[in-house]
Amino acid sequence: MKRMVEFIVNGEAREMAVDGCRSLLDALRDDVGLTGTKKGCDVGDCGACTVLVDGEPVNACLMLAVEAEGRSVETVEGLQPGVDRLHPLQDAFMRHGASQCGFCTPGILMMAKKLLDDNPSPTDEEIRFGLSGNICRCTGYTKIFDAIKSAAREMEAARP
Amino acid sequence: MRRFDYYRAETLEHASRLLTELGDDTFLFNGGTDLLVEIRERLRRVRNVVDIKQIPGLSDITYDETRGLTFGALVTVGRLENLSLVRQQYPNLRAALASLGSIQVRNRATVVGNICRASPSADTIPPLVADGAFVHIYSRTDMRVVPIAEFFTGPGKTVLAKGEIVTGITVPPAADNIGKAYLKHGRRKAMELSTVGVAVSLAMDEGVCSDVRIALGAVGATVLRAPQAEAMLRGSRLDAATVRKAADKAMEECTPISNVRASADYRRDMVGVLTGRAIRQALETFA
Ligand SMILES: Cc1cc2nc3c(=O)[nH]c(=O)nc-3n(C[C@@H](O)[C@@H](O)[C@H](O)COP(=O)(O)OP(=O)(O)OC[C@H]3O[C@@H](n4cnc5c(N)ncnc54)[C@H](O)[C@@H]3O)c2cc1C
Ligand code: FES
Ligand code: FES
């Protein structure tokens, strides 16, 4: 039996009819057409599917689409502040080569955004703790941490 | 993904009725971090899930100096982890909460779900057992309160009867003379299930241990107490020799198995190491 779900994705109101057993991840990718959010494991281990729900990071694979009713969901597609403009994190990831195959990148960007929103200048330890649910099998993490620290400095400098 | 039907309960009574009326293979759906994984990995046959997250009154956290800390079934691991009260008064529970999965998982996983899944390696159980917590259980005919040590009947098994729902947990208050610790041992620091988990809560009166509970995780069919080790510590000044003897006794009292994470022998050795370490850490509260 399908249910109607009304929710907000990246600031835009949406409506969709979904099966009760459909994950938010599958709904975002296949029903809404936002394929930026990735499916790595489908069981909460890798963090590739990380999105923010009412501002809090969750694994979209471990949430049902019907639970998004009335909530606001942010995905990597909503990270850009405007057309042709990148979020400082996206810019820093490109400059530092923090993305190789790129599969982990959307999840890490969303997690890093939340981390910097809460804590504008995190220590190395805080970054590691914050990203412990995001697995990258390519980069060895060093460039990811460098990019996050660099973006943190730029965001701090840009603050009035 | 295996298909299942989704129901949203409005009240406890409604959820309980759905559990009995929808028949076998119907489960309560809380944070879903165990249930959805078990469905995807085909570890559990599920035909219906009953979401309890819209039921009012299950999200509260209260603290009272005589009763202690009470939190509802929907309270997430992450919410409790970030509470300064928990940080200050329940450092053992707080250590378990902060070690459970990732931030993303903790934002969804509940403590009540963690105990209801009744995994022998569940991280929140040892500190709750060591603190002597109580589980509040709803059924359509009455409410009952069960000491958490009596809640588990085997791996994945609890005293809950069909249609019963856990509404919350109460953890007795902290006091100046009580020290607590929880140590989790795994193969890596984060995103890891416990190979062994040891919780110790002890009370000191004029330099003498007046009460102590040791709870051992992942070394038995359920989280175990170590009653003989506890008896050796009670009435002592917790000098190094007594602590070492009690830690050795705890090794004898546990019943570990070998699995992919570690051998039974290794687990038993770690119970010895961690029990001694947890007692010393609990004592540091008074230093
Ligand atoms: C990637 C990952 C890492 C993890 N790491 C750890 C870890 O390090 N340590 C650890 O201990 N756990 C770990 N877990 C498991 C942990 O997330 C769960 O045990 C969680 O706490 C269960 O809570 P939930 O709300 O998600 O439960 P659910 O999955 O919704 O439910 C779990 C079970 O409890 C039942 N249930 C739920 N609520 C009630 C209720 N109110 N009354 C009666 N029955 C109820 C359900 O029917 C189900 O059988 C991990 C999980 C994942 C996905
Ligand atoms: S796809 Fe969700 S955590 Fe891996
Ligand atoms: S860049 Fe390939 S997984 Fe991280």
mmCIF file with all atom_site columns, all heavy atoms in Angstrom, chain B residues 166-177:
data_model
loop_
_atom_site.group_PDB
_atom_site.id
_atom_site.type_symbol
_atom_site.label_atom_id
_atom_site.label_alt_id
_atom_site.label_comp_id
_atom_site.label_asym_id
_atom_site.label_entity_id
_atom_site.label_seq_id
_atom_site.pdbx_PDB_ins_code
_atom_site.Cartn_x
_atom_site.Cartn_y
_atom_site.Cartn_z
_atom_site.occupancy
_atom_site.B_iso_or_equiv
_atom_site.pdbx_formal_charge
_atom_site.auth_seq_id
_atom_site.auth_comp_id
_atom_site.auth_asym_id
_atom_site.auth_atom_id
_atom_site.pdbx_PDB_model_num
ATOM 1  N N   . VAL B 1 166 ? 8.013  -1.523 25.912 1.00 0.00 ? 166 VAL B N   1
ATOM 2  C CA  . VAL B 1 166 ? 8.813  -0.804 26.902 1.00 0.00 ? 166 VAL B CA  1
ATOM 3  C C   . VAL B 1 166 ? 8.559  0.688  26.708 1.00 0.00 ? 166 VAL B C   1
ATOM 4  O O   . VAL B 1 166 ? 8.684  1.208  25.595 1.00 0.00 ? 166 VAL B O   1
ATOM 5  C CB  . VAL B 1 166 ? 10.316 -1.120 26.742 1.00 0.00 ? 166 VAL B CB  1
ATOM 6  C CG1 . VAL B 1 166 ? 11.149 -0.247 27.673 1.00 0.00 ? 166 VAL B CG1 1
ATOM 7  C CG2 . VAL B 1 166 ? 10.571 -2.595 27.021 1.00 0.00 ? 166 VAL B CG2 1
ATOM 8  N N   . THR B 1 167 ? 8.189  1.371  27.799 1.00 0.00 ? 167 THR B N   1
ATOM 9  C CA  . THR B 1 167 ? 7.894  2.803  27.677 1.00 0.00 ? 167 THR B CA  1
ATOM 10 C C   . THR B 1 167 ? 9.072  3.664  28.113 1.00 0.00 ? 167 THR B C   1
ATOM 11 O O   . THR B 1 167 ? 9.152  4.827  27.747 1.00 0.00 ? 167 THR B O   1
ATOM 12 C CB  . THR B 1 167 ? 6.666  3.199  28.523 1.00 0.00 ? 167 THR B CB  1
ATOM 13 O OG1 . THR B 1 167 ? 6.933  2.831  29.882 1.00 0.00 ? 167 THR B OG1 1
ATOM 14 C CG2 . THR B 1 167 ? 5.418  2.497  28.030 1.00 0.00 ? 167 THR B CG2 1
ATOM 15 N N   . GLY B 1 168 ? 9.981  3.103  28.909 1.00 0.00 ? 168 GLY B N   1
ATOM 16 C CA  . GLY B 1 168 ? 11.123 3.904  29.328 1.00 0.00 ? 168 GLY B CA  1
ATOM 17 C C   . GLY B 1 168 ? 12.000 3.169  30.314 1.00 0.00 ? 168 GLY B C   1
ATOM 18 O O   . GLY B 1 168 ? 11.740 2.009  30.667 1.00 0.00 ? 168 GLY B O   1
ATOM 19 N N   . ILE B 1 169 ? 13.051 3.858  30.742 1.00 0.00 ? 169 ILE B N   1
ATOM 20 C CA  . ILE B 1 169 ? 14.032 3.288  31.669 1.00 0.00 ? 169 ILE B CA  1
ATOM 21 C C   . ILE B 1 169 ? 14.310 4.310  32.764 1.00 0.00 ? 169 ILE B C   1
ATOM 22 O O   . ILE B 1 169 ? 14.383 5.511  32.485 1.00 0.00 ? 169 ILE B O   1
ATOM 23 C CB  . ILE B 1 169 ? 15.348 2.959  30.923 1.00 0.00 ? 169 ILE B CB  1
ATOM 24 C CG1 . ILE B 1 169 ? 15.086 1.883  29.854 1.00 0.00 ? 169 ILE B CG1 1
ATOM 25 C CG2 . ILE B 1 169 ? 16.448 2.506  31.883 1.00 0.00 ? 169 ILE B CG2 1
ATOM 26 C CD1 . ILE B 1 169 ? 16.289 1.556  28.984 1.00 0.00 ? 169 ILE B CD1 1
ATOM 27 N N   . THR B 1 170 ? 14.437 3.835  34.014 1.00 0.00 ? 170 THR B N   1
ATOM 28 C CA  . THR B 1 170 ? 14.842 4.705  35.115 1.00 0.00 ? 170 THR B CA  1
ATOM 29 C C   . THR B 1 170 ? 16.180 4.226  35.657 1.00 0.00 ? 170 THR B C   1
ATOM 30 O O   . THR B 1 170 ? 16.346 3.037  35.945 1.00 0.00 ? 170 THR B O   1
ATOM 31 C CB  . THR B 1 170 ? 13.793 4.682  36.254 1.00 0.00 ? 170 THR B CB  1
ATOM 32 O OG1 . THR B 1 170 ? 12.575 5.249  35.756 1.00 0.00 ? 170 THR B OG1 1
ATOM 33 C CG2 . THR B 1 170 ? 14.261 5.506  37.456 1.00 0.00 ? 170 THR B CG2 1
ATOM 34 N N   . VAL B 1 171 ? 17.127 5.161  35.768 1.00 0.00 ? 171 VAL B N   1
ATOM 35 C CA  . VAL B 1 171 ? 18.440 4.828  36.332 1.00 0.00 ? 171 VAL B CA  1
ATOM 36 C C   . VAL B 1 171 ? 18.552 5.559  37.667 1.00 0.00 ? 171 VAL B C   1
ATOM 37 O O   . VAL B 1 171 ? 18.378 6.779  37.706 1.00 0.00 ? 171 VAL B O   1
ATOM 38 C CB  . VAL B 1 171 ? 19.590 5.294  35.404 1.00 0.00 ? 171 VAL B CB  1
ATOM 39 C CG1 . VAL B 1 171 ? 20.866 4.552  35.755 1.00 0.00 ? 171 VAL B CG1 1
ATOM 40 C CG2 . VAL B 1 171 ? 19.246 5.106  33.947 1.00 0.00 ? 171 VAL B CG2 1
ATOM 41 N N   . PRO B 1 172 ? 18.817 4.822  38.776 1.00 0.00 ? 172 PRO B N   1
ATOM 42 C CA  . PRO B 1 172 ? 18.877 5.465  40.089 1.00 0.00 ? 172 PRO B CA  1
ATOM 43 C C   . PRO B 1 172 ? 19.853 6.647  40.109 1.00 0.00 ? 172 PRO B C   1
ATOM 44 O O   . PRO B 1 172 ? 20.777 6.699  39.298 1.00 0.00 ? 172 PRO B O   1
ATOM 45 C CB  . PRO B 1 172 ? 19.352 4.341  41.009 1.00 0.00 ? 172 PRO B CB  1
ATOM 46 C CG  . PRO B 1 172 ? 18.930 3.092  40.325 1.00 0.00 ? 172 PRO B CG  1
ATOM 47 C CD  . PRO B 1 172 ? 19.033 3.375  38.857 1.00 0.00 ? 172 PRO B CD  1
ATOM 48 N N   . PRO B 1 173 ? 19.628 7.576  41.051 1.00 0.00 ? 173 PRO B N   1
ATOM 49 C CA  . PRO B 1 173 ? 20.441 8.788  41.083 1.00 0.00 ? 173 PRO B CA  1
ATOM 50 C C   . PRO B 1 173 ? 21.899 8.511  41.407 1.00 0.00 ? 173 PRO B C   1
ATOM 51 O O   . PRO B 1 173 ? 22.228 7.526  42.067 1.00 0.00 ? 173 PRO B O   1
ATOM 52 C CB  . PRO B 1 173 ? 19.796 9.628  42.187 1.00 0.00 ? 173 PRO B CB  1
ATOM 53 C CG  . PRO B 1 173 ? 19.049 8.661  43.023 1.00 0.00 ? 173 PRO B CG  1
ATOM 54 C CD  . PRO B 1 173 ? 18.622 7.562  42.124 1.00 0.00 ? 173 PRO B CD  1
ATOM 55 N N   . ALA B 1 174 ? 22.747 9.410  40.933 1.00 0.00 ? 174 ALA B N   1
ATOM 56 C CA  . ALA B 1 174 ? 24.158 9.342  41.285 1.00 0.00 ? 174 ALA B CA  1
ATOM 57 C C   . ALA B 1 174 ? 24.313 9.910  42.694 1.00 0.00 ? 174 ALA B C   1
ATOM 58 O O   . ALA B 1 174 ? 23.401 10.528 43.223 1.00 0.00 ? 174 ALA B O   1
ATOM 59 C CB  . ALA B 1 174 ? 24.967 10.155 40.295 1.00 0.00 ? 174 ALA B CB  1
ATOM 60 N N   . ALA B 1 175 ? 25.461 9.671  43.341 1.00 0.00 ? 175 ALA B N   1
ATOM 61 C CA  . ALA B 1 175 ? 25.725 10.257 44.655 1.00 0.00 ? 175 ALA B CA  1
ATOM 62 C C   . ALA B 1 175 ? 27.219 10.516 44.754 1.00 0.00 ? 175 ALA B C   1
ATOM 63 O O   . ALA B 1 175 ? 28.003 9.946  43.991 1.00 0.00 ? 175 ALA B O   1
ATOM 64 C CB  . ALA B 1 175 ? 25.265 9.304  45.761 1.00 0.00 ? 175 ALA B CB  1
ATOM 65 N N   . ASP B 1 176 ? 27.610 11.356 45.727 1.00 0.00 ? 176 ASP B N   1
ATOM 66 C CA  . ASP B 1 176 ? 29.022 11.724 45.852 1.00 0.00 ? 176 ASP B CA  1
ATOM 67 C C   . ASP B 1 176 ? 29.909 10.530 46.167 1.00 0.00 ? 176 ASP B C   1
ATOM 68 O O   . ASP B 1 176 ? 31.099 10.532 45.873 1.00 0.00 ? 176 ASP B O   1
ATOM 69 C CB  . ASP B 1 176 ? 29.199 12.771 46.959 1.00 0.00 ? 176 ASP B CB  1
ATOM 70 C CG  . ASP B 1 176 ? 28.645 14.111 46.516 1.00 0.00 ? 176 ASP B CG  1
ATOM 71 O OD1 . ASP B 1 176 ? 28.431 14.270 45.289 1.00 0.00 ? 176 ASP B OD1 1
ATOM 72 O OD2 . ASP B 1 176 ? 28.415 14.976 47.373 1.00 0.00 ? 176 ASP B OD2 1
ATOM 73 N N   . ASN B 1 177 ? 29.335 9.502  46.792 1.00 0.00 ? 177 ASN B N   1
ATOM 74 C CA  . ASN B 1 177 ? 30.167 8.356  47.182 1.00 0.00 ? 177 ASN B CA  1
ATOM 75 C C   . ASN B 1 177 ? 30.152 7.230  46.152 1.00 0.00 ? 177 ASN B C   1
ATOM 76 O O   . ASN B 1 177 ? 30.604 6.132  46.421 1.00 0.00 ? 177 ASN B O   1
ATOM 77 C CB  . ASN B 1 177 ? 29.710 7.821  48.549 1.00 0.00 ? 177 ASN B CB  1
ATOM 78 C CG  . ASN B 1 177 ? 28.343 7.173  48.470 1.00 0.00 ? 177 ASN B CG  1
ATOM 79 O OD1 . ASN B 1 177 ? 27.512 7.554  47.650 1.00 0.00 ? 177 ASN B OD1 1
ATOM 80 N ND2 . ASN B 1 177 ? 28.116 6.168  49.301 1.00 0.00 ? 177 ASN B ND2 1
#
